[in-house]
Short mmCIF file of all heavy atoms in Angstrom, two decimals:
data_model
loop_
_atom_site.label_atom_id
_atom_site.label_comp_id
_atom_site.label_asym_id
_atom_site.label_seq_id
_atom_site.Cartn_x
_atom_site.Cartn_y
_atom_site.Cartn_z
N MET A 1 84.44 204.99 21.27
CA MET A 1 83.82 204.28 20.16
C MET A 1 84.60 203.04 19.79
O MET A 1 84.06 202.07 19.31
CB MET A 1 83.71 205.22 18.95
CG MET A 1 82.58 204.84 17.98
SD MET A 1 82.96 203.46 16.89
CE MET A 1 84.13 204.22 15.77
N SER A 2 85.91 203.05 20.03
CA SER A 2 86.75 201.93 19.64
C SER A 2 86.39 200.65 20.39
O SER A 2 86.74 199.56 19.95
CB SER A 2 88.23 202.28 19.88
OG SER A 2 88.43 202.61 21.25
N ASN A 3 85.70 200.79 21.52
CA ASN A 3 85.35 199.61 22.30
C ASN A 3 84.05 198.96 21.85
O ASN A 3 83.67 197.91 22.38
CB ASN A 3 85.23 199.99 23.78
CG ASN A 3 86.57 200.40 24.38
OD1 ASN A 3 87.60 199.88 24.00
ND2 ASN A 3 86.52 201.34 25.30
N VAL A 4 83.35 199.57 20.90
CA VAL A 4 82.09 199.02 20.42
C VAL A 4 82.38 197.89 19.45
O VAL A 4 83.18 198.02 18.52
CB VAL A 4 81.24 200.10 19.74
CG1 VAL A 4 79.96 199.49 19.19
CG2 VAL A 4 80.92 201.20 20.73
N ASP A 5 81.73 196.75 19.66
CA ASP A 5 81.92 195.58 18.82
C ASP A 5 81.04 195.70 17.58
O ASP A 5 79.87 195.30 17.58
CB ASP A 5 81.58 194.31 19.59
CG ASP A 5 82.00 193.05 18.85
OD1 ASP A 5 82.28 193.14 17.64
OD2 ASP A 5 82.04 191.98 19.49
N ASP A 45 70.58 195.71 27.48
CA ASP A 45 71.63 194.69 27.67
C ASP A 45 72.41 194.46 26.39
O ASP A 45 73.63 194.25 26.43
CB ASP A 45 71.01 193.39 28.16
CG ASP A 45 70.49 193.49 29.59
OD1 ASP A 45 70.80 194.48 30.27
OD2 ASP A 45 69.78 192.56 30.02
N GLN A 46 71.72 194.49 25.23
CA GLN A 46 72.45 194.31 23.98
C GLN A 46 73.44 195.45 23.77
O GLN A 46 74.61 195.23 23.43
CB GLN A 46 71.51 194.23 22.79
CG GLN A 46 72.29 194.00 21.49
CD GLN A 46 71.45 194.15 20.23
OE1 GLN A 46 70.46 194.89 20.22
NE2 GLN A 46 71.84 193.45 19.18
N CYS A 47 72.97 196.69 23.97
CA CYS A 47 73.85 197.84 23.77
C CYS A 47 75.05 197.79 24.71
O CYS A 47 76.18 198.07 24.31
CB CYS A 47 73.06 199.14 23.97
SG CYS A 47 71.87 199.49 22.65
N THR A 48 74.80 197.41 25.97
CA THR A 48 75.89 197.31 26.94
C THR A 48 76.88 196.23 26.52
O THR A 48 78.10 196.42 26.62
CB THR A 48 75.33 197.00 28.34
OG1 THR A 48 74.42 198.03 28.72
CG2 THR A 48 76.45 196.92 29.37
N ALA A 49 76.37 195.10 26.04
CA ALA A 49 77.25 194.01 25.61
C ALA A 49 78.10 194.42 24.41
O ALA A 49 79.22 193.93 24.25
CB ALA A 49 76.41 192.78 25.25
N LEU A 50 77.58 195.33 23.59
CA LEU A 50 78.33 195.80 22.43
C LEU A 50 79.37 196.86 22.79
O LEU A 50 80.23 197.19 21.98
CB LEU A 50 77.37 196.40 21.39
CG LEU A 50 76.43 195.42 20.69
CD1 LEU A 50 75.39 196.17 19.87
CD2 LEU A 50 77.21 194.46 19.79
N GLY A 51 79.28 197.39 24.02
CA GLY A 51 80.21 198.43 24.44
C GLY A 51 79.58 199.81 24.50
O GLY A 51 80.25 200.80 24.79
N MET A 52 78.28 199.89 24.25
CA MET A 52 77.57 201.17 24.29
C MET A 52 76.96 201.34 25.69
O MET A 52 75.77 201.19 25.90
CB MET A 52 76.50 201.21 23.20
CG MET A 52 77.08 201.02 21.81
SD MET A 52 75.81 200.80 20.51
CE MET A 52 75.14 202.45 20.42
N ASP A 53 77.83 201.68 26.64
CA ASP A 53 77.41 201.83 28.03
C ASP A 53 77.25 203.31 28.38
O ASP A 53 77.31 204.18 27.50
CB ASP A 53 78.40 201.15 28.96
CG ASP A 53 79.84 201.62 28.72
OD1 ASP A 53 80.04 202.64 28.03
OD2 ASP A 53 80.77 200.97 29.25
N ASP A 54 77.06 203.61 29.65
CA ASP A 54 76.87 205.00 30.08
C ASP A 54 78.05 205.88 29.69
O ASP A 54 77.87 207.03 29.25
CB ASP A 54 76.65 205.06 31.59
CG ASP A 54 75.31 204.47 32.01
OD1 ASP A 54 74.44 204.29 31.13
OD2 ASP A 54 75.13 204.20 33.21
N ALA A 55 79.25 205.37 29.86
CA ALA A 55 80.44 206.15 29.52
C ALA A 55 80.49 206.46 28.03
O ALA A 55 80.90 207.56 27.61
CB ALA A 55 81.70 205.40 29.96
N PHE A 56 80.08 205.50 27.21
CA PHE A 56 80.06 205.70 25.76
C PHE A 56 79.15 206.86 25.39
O PHE A 56 79.53 207.77 24.65
CB PHE A 56 79.59 204.42 25.07
CG PHE A 56 79.21 204.60 23.63
CD1 PHE A 56 80.17 204.62 22.63
CD2 PHE A 56 77.88 204.77 23.27
CE1 PHE A 56 79.82 204.81 21.31
CE2 PHE A 56 77.51 204.95 21.96
CZ PHE A 56 78.48 204.97 20.96
N TYR A 57 77.92 206.86 25.90
CA TYR A 57 76.97 207.92 25.56
C TYR A 57 77.43 209.26 26.11
O TYR A 57 77.25 210.30 25.48
CB TYR A 57 75.58 207.57 26.09
CG TYR A 57 74.94 206.42 25.35
CD1 TYR A 57 74.71 205.21 26.01
CD2 TYR A 57 74.57 206.53 24.02
CE1 TYR A 57 74.12 204.14 25.34
CE2 TYR A 57 73.97 205.47 23.35
CZ TYR A 57 73.76 204.28 24.01
OH TYR A 57 73.19 203.22 23.35
N PRO A 137 78.83 204.62 15.89
CA PRO A 137 78.46 203.34 15.29
C PRO A 137 76.95 203.26 15.02
O PRO A 137 76.14 203.46 15.92
CB PRO A 137 78.88 202.31 16.34
CG PRO A 137 78.81 203.05 17.63
CD PRO A 137 79.19 204.46 17.32
#
Side-chain angles (χ1 to χ4, degrees):
M1 205 282 288
S2 58
N3 294 327
V4 177
D5 190 344
D45 290 349
Q46 182 190 28
C47 289
T48 301
L50 292 171
M52 302 171 71
D53 53 14
D54 290 345
F56 166 82
Y57 291 113

